């Protein structure tokens, strides 16, 4: 099988897209859902108790938690991500990946980032906007827009499914 070559610019938009896909569909997905469920349950319980016994000073914590969790947290997270991107050495650099049966060779700009065998890639998640290749807790983002055509994308998906430790197709999610 011939190698699949992928090139794209590591822009602010691509970085935010990768982070969003990782958070909503990747490895962080289950933990985030559990925490949101627990926080939501605590808020509902506090509201129920407020109606049962009247407002108590401790109930203001539920209100503060609800406002933070559902209104402020997302904005703060985006701001932290943008700050991290601005400090990154990869900011506005060309990412080049060469993928074949042996593994992935990654390059940022003119700097070689490394070569990873398929044994190093523990999981691949296909999302509606690309692929997340996990090496432990770290991941490599491969956006759909980086593929030359649909055939290359499907070849890449088939290769990942064959070679990676685990493969999850969440391309129809959202």
């Amino acid at each position: 099988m011939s190698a699949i070559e992928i090139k794209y610019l590591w822009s602010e938009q691509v970085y935010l897209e990768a982070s969003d896909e990782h958070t909503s569909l990747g490895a962080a997905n289950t933990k985030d859902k559990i925490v949101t469920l627990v926080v939501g349950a605590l808020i509902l319980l506090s509201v129920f108790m407020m109606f049962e016994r009247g407002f108590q000073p401790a109930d203001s914590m539920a209100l503060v938690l609800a406002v933070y969790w559902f209104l402020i947290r997302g904005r703060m997270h985006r701001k932290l991500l943008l700050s991290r991107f601005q400090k990154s050495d990869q900011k506005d650099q060309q990412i080049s990946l060469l993928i074949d049966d042996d593994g992935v060779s990654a390059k940022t700009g003119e700097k070689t980032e490394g070569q990873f065998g398929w044994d190093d890639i523990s999981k691949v998640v296909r999302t509606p906007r690309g692929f997340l290749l996990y090496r432990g807790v770290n991941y490599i983002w491969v956006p759909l827009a980086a593929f030359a055509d649909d055939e290359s994308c499907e070849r890449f998906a088939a290769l990942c499914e064959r070679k990676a430790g685990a493969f999850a197709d969440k391309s129809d999610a959202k």
Side-chain angles (χ1 to χ4, degrees):
M1 176 178 170
S2 62
I4 301 168
E5 191 172 342
I6 298 168
K7 292 183 179 184
Y8 61 95
L9 183 66
W10 190 243
S11 66
E12 186 176 279
Q13 183 61 37
V14 171
Y15 177 74
L16 291 174
E17 181 179 271
S19 177
D20 182 48
E21 295 295 89
H22 167 67
T23 301
S24 61
L25 299 170
N29 184 17
T30 304
K31 181 182 81 169
D32 196 46
K33 284 182 179 176
I34 290 170
V35 170
T36 300
L37 183 67
V38 168
V39 168
L42 288 172
I43 291 167
L44 287 175
L45 181 63
S46 294
V47 169
F48 176 75
M49 294 301 290
M50 238 187 310
F51 284 123
E52 286 293 312
R53 62 172 162 55
F55 182 80
Q56 300 288 320
D59 294 330
S60 62
M61 287 306 296
L63 180 62
V64 168
L65 180 60
V67 167
Y68 165 74
W69 192 261
F70 294 107
L71 300 177
I72 299 173
R73 183 178 61 104
R75 290 184 189 119
M76 286 178 63
H77 186 236
R78 180 178 168 87
K79 204 171 191 177
L80 286 170
L81 287 173
L82 291 174
S83 172
R84 185 182 300 165
F85 177 77
Q86 294 302 322
K87 296 173 186 170
S88 170
D89 292 340
Q90 295 178 337
K91 176 185 168 188
D92 298 325
Q93 294 286 319
Q94 171 103 8
I95 305 290
S96 301
L97 303 171
L98 190 62
I99 299 131
D100 58 22
D101 284 330
D102 296 329
V104 178
S105 296
K107 197 173 170 184
T108 302
E110 296 302 315
K111 181 179 163 191
T112 300
E113 294 290 328
Q115 295 186 339
F116 316 103
W118 285 105
D119 292 343
D120 297 328
I121 299 172
S122 57
K123 182 179 182 180
V124 175
V125 178
R126 184 177 189 172
T127 74
R129 298 187 281 184
F131 295 84
L132 294 159
L133 283 70
Y134 286 94
R135 296 182 315 118
V137 296
N138 297 318
Y139 62 91
I140 299 170
W141 173 241
V142 182
L144 289 180
F147 289 97
D149 52 36
D150 288 342
E151 181 198 343
S152 298
C153 181
E154 292 308 317
R155 278 184 40 225
F156 179 70
L159 180 63
C160 289
E161 194 167 6
R162 246 185 13 261
K163 295 286 194 168
F167 181 82
D169 188 348
K170 298 182 181 181
S171 59
D172 59 357
K174 287 186 182 179

